[in-house]
Amino acid sequence: MADHPNTSLPEDRGYLSEHGFRSWALTMDHKRIGVMYIWTTLGFFVVAGILALLLRLKLLVPGPALFSDHTYNVLFTMHGAMMIFLFIIPAIPSALGNFFIPLLIGCRDVAFPRLNLFSYWIFVAGIAVTVGTLAAPMDTGWTFYTPYSAQTSAAVTALSFGLFLIGMSSILTGLNFIVTIHTMRAPGMGWYRMPLFIWAMYATSVIQVLSTPVIGITFLLLAAERVFGIGFFDPAKGGDPLLFQHFFWFYSHPVVYVMILPAMGIVSEVVPVFARKPIFGYKAIAYSALAIALIGFLVWGHHMFVSGMSTVAGVIFSFLTFFVAVPTGMKIFNWIATLYKGSITFESPMLYALSFIFLFIIGGLTGLFLGALATDVHVHDTYFLVAHFHYTMMGGTVMGLFAGLHYWFPKMTGRMFNETWAKSAWWLVVSGFNVTFFPMFILGMQGMPRRYAEYPAKYQALNVVATVGSWFLALGVIIMFANFIKSLRNGPLAPDNPWRGLTLEWQTTSPPPEENFHEIPTVTDWPYGYGSRNEAPRE
Amino acid sequence: MSDNHEAPNGAPVSARLGIWAFLATELLLFGALFTAYAQFRITHAELFHQEHLKLNRVLGALNTLVLLTSSLTIAIGIAAIRRGLQKLLKVCLSLTLALACGFLFIKYLEWSHDFHMGWFPRTNLFFGLYFMMTGLHGLHVLAGMGVMIWLLYKAQRGSFSAEYNTPVEITGLYWHFVDLVWIYLFPLLYLIG
C-alpha cells in the first residue's frame, strides 16, 4: 500500500464504469451479477440477524416477555428460513463464486451468461414470493415438517412455490459453474493447476445440481398435499410423514456442504497467501471436497435417528456420518500443516480464516456427538444442536465468507478497507460469537430444548450470557459493514495485488476490466508456489 | 486448458455438458416421485393392484406409441439438419409437435374420464401418484412443445444449418428424456401384474 493513500476517484473503474439501473439489472457480466448477489444475500443476513437478536433478547428472561409465543415461533421460523435459503446457501457460491470463478480460472465470463442473469432474477422472484408469504406468517420452523405444515393456516403453498424458484436458481447456477469449470479454463490450466476454491466450487455445484431437484419435488408434493388434498404425508390417508423427512433431508443435509465447501475453498486460498507457503496436500484437499460431496449424499438419515428408523439403518447412517468427518479432518490437518513453519502475517482475511479453522473444529467434532446414536438420543432437539449448527454455519461458513469478503474486497471494489477497524470488528465478532454460542453447548447438555419460547428459571444465567454475547457479535458485524461501506466510498485505491497472491485474479487490475483480462493468461504452474518460485515482489 | 473443442458435427461440449447436467436434475426430480411410488406400492400393494385396473391400458399403450414415434421424428430432424436439410428439419419438428399434441389429447381424454368417474388426486394414494406423475410429465411435454415452437420459428428463418444446430440437438436430448420417463410411467401405472 502506498504511503500517501490516493483516495480520489480513479480514472479507470473497470467493470464498474457504467452506471444506472439498466447497466446492473440487465447485465450479463458475471462480476456485476456477483455483486448483486452480494448485496441481496448480505441484506437478508442483516434482516435475519436482527430477528436472531430479537429472539435472544426475549430469551433474557425465562417467562413471557416482549412478544407472544406464536410470534416467537414465527420469528425463529423466519430467522432460519431466511438465513438458510436467502443468505447462507447463495452467499458464497452465487455471490463470490460468480465473481471469482471466471477470474480464478482465467476466462472472460461463465459458460452461459444469459442463464446466469436469469438465475439471479428467478432468485429475486423467489424472494418476492417468499417474503410475500409474511402476510400469513410461517410458524412451522424452517424444516416445514408434515403433517403440521400440511394443515397450518400459514401460507405454506405460496412459500413452497417461492422456495421452488430459489431452488431453480441454485440448480442453474451450479450447472453454469460445472460447465464453466470444465470448458473455460485458461490455456495451460489442467485440473491440478486449478485453485482449490475452484475444486470446492465444483464439488458444491455437483451437490446443488443433484440435490436441489429433490427439495423442489418435495415442495411441489407439499403444495399438492394442501391444494388437492393428496395424502402422501398424512397417515390418516395412508401416507407417511417420514417420507417427507427423508425427502427433505436428502436435500437439506447435502446442502450444508453447499454452505461449507465454498468456505473451505476460501480458507484454502487465504491460508497459503498469508503463511507464504505452498498449500500442503493439494490433491488431498481437492479430492476431499469431492469425497465430502459424495459421502454427504448418504448421511441424511442422521437427522431422523429419533423420528422412527430401524436400528440397522440408524447404525449405517451413524457410520457414514463418522465417515464424512474423515475428508473434513484431512482438510483441517492440511491447513495446519500449511501453517507449519510459514511466515504467517495476521491481516484480517487470515484472522477470519484461522477463526474458521478453530471454530469449525469445535463445530465438526460436536457434530460427531450428534452423529453417535446413543448420544444423539440425549442431546437431539436441545440447545446442543443449536450450538453445533451455529459453530459450523456461523463459525464456519460465515467466517469463511468474511475471510473472502476481506480478501477480495480490494479486487472487487478497487479500494482498500481500513485494517485497524477490520481487526477491531474481528475481535468483537469472534469473541461475541463464542460468548453467544458456547453456553448453548452446556445448556443443551443440561437438557434445555430448542425452539421453546419459555424455559425453566435454572437455565437463565447461561441464557443471559448468550444474549449479551449476541450484542457484541452484532456490534462487530456493524463495524465490519460500516468499514466496508466507508471504504467503498473513500478508501485508498487498491493495488492490483495487495496480498501478493499467485492466483490469476491478482494478475488483472483492481477492479478488473469488463472482459476480466486484457489478454487471457497462460498458466504454466500451480498457483501455490509461495516462498519459492513465482513469488511476486513485495510492494 | 479447455475441454471445449468442437465436437465433430454438432453441439459444442459446453452445451452438451449443460443439457446432460440439466437432465440429471430432471432425473432426481422424478426420482423422488418414483421413490414415493416404490414405498406406497410396497405398503399398499392391494390398493395399487385394484386401482390400476381402472386405467385404460389401450389408451396408455397408444400414447406410448405416439411418444416413441415423436422421439423418432425429432431424431430424424437432428440427422437432417446435420446434413443441412432445412426443409426436412421443419417437417420433422412439425411432426414431433403434432405427435406431442396427440399425446396430450389422449391424456386429456383419460383424465376427463377419470374426473367423470369421480377419481381425483385426493381419492387415494394410487390416484394421487398417478395424477402427480402423469401431470408433472405432461408439464414437461408442454415445455418441450414450447421450445419446439421456438425452434420451428428459428428454422423458418433459416437459423440452423449443418454447422450450427446446437438448440435442435439439445432439445432432442430433452425430448428423449421426456419419452424415457413415460416409458417407465406406463408399465408402473398401467401394467401392474
Side-chain angles (χ1 to χ4, degrees), chain A residues 380-402:
Chain A
H380 84 275
D381 272 340
T382 69
Y383 266 80
F384 189 88
L385 181 105
V386 178
H388 154 72
F389 188 71
H390 285 83
Y391 263 82
T392 54
M393 291 296 116
M394 174 108 203
T397 306
V398 177
M399 294 301 156
L401 172 71
F402 289 168

Side-chain angles (χ1 to χ4, degrees), chain A residues 56 60 432 435-436 463-473:
Chain A
R56 283 296 345 149
L60 211 46
V435 176
T436 308
N463 270 290
V464 171
V465 174
T467 301
V468 172
S470 72
W471 300 336
F472 285 99
L473 178 54

Side-chain angles (χ1 to χ4, degrees), chain A residues 423-495:
Chain A
K423 281 197 174 113
S424 327
W426 172 80
W427 276 108
L428 284 165
V429 166
V430 170
S431 52
F433 170 83
N434 280 299
V435 176
T436 308
F437 291 104
F438 199 83
M440 294 185 191
F441 282 124
I442 303 165
L443 286 169
M445 292 301 270
Q446 291 173 348
M448 179 172 165
R450 64 170 175 159
R451 292 185 167 180
Y452 281 58
E454 292 165 19
Y455 57 86
K458 63 174 177 173
Y459 296 128
Q460 192 180 10
L462 284 172
N463 270 290
V464 171
V465 174
T467 301
V468 172
S470 72
W471 300 336
F472 285 99
L473 178 54
L475 184 65
V477 172
I478 290 168
I479 292 176
M480 179 200 306
F481 286 173
N483 187 20
F484 279 153
I485 288 168
K486 188 171 175 307
S487 310
L488 208 55
R489 300 175 65 88
N490 53 15
L493 292 184

Side-chain angles (χ1 to χ4, degrees), chain A residues 517-537:
Chain A
F517 301 93
H518 293 302
E519 198 176 324
I520 291 292
T522 301
V523 178
T524 55
D525 200 358
W526 75 329
Y528 297 108
Y530 296 102
S532 55
R533 305 159 284 170
N534 295 349
E535 186 75 290

Side-chain angles (χ1 to χ4, degrees), chain A residues 119-141:
Chain A
S119 299
Y120 177 74
W121 283 111
I122 48 172
F123 178 59
V124 172
I127 290 174
V129 176
T130 309
V131 172
T133 59
L134 293 180
M138 206 63 53
D139 56 353
T140 59

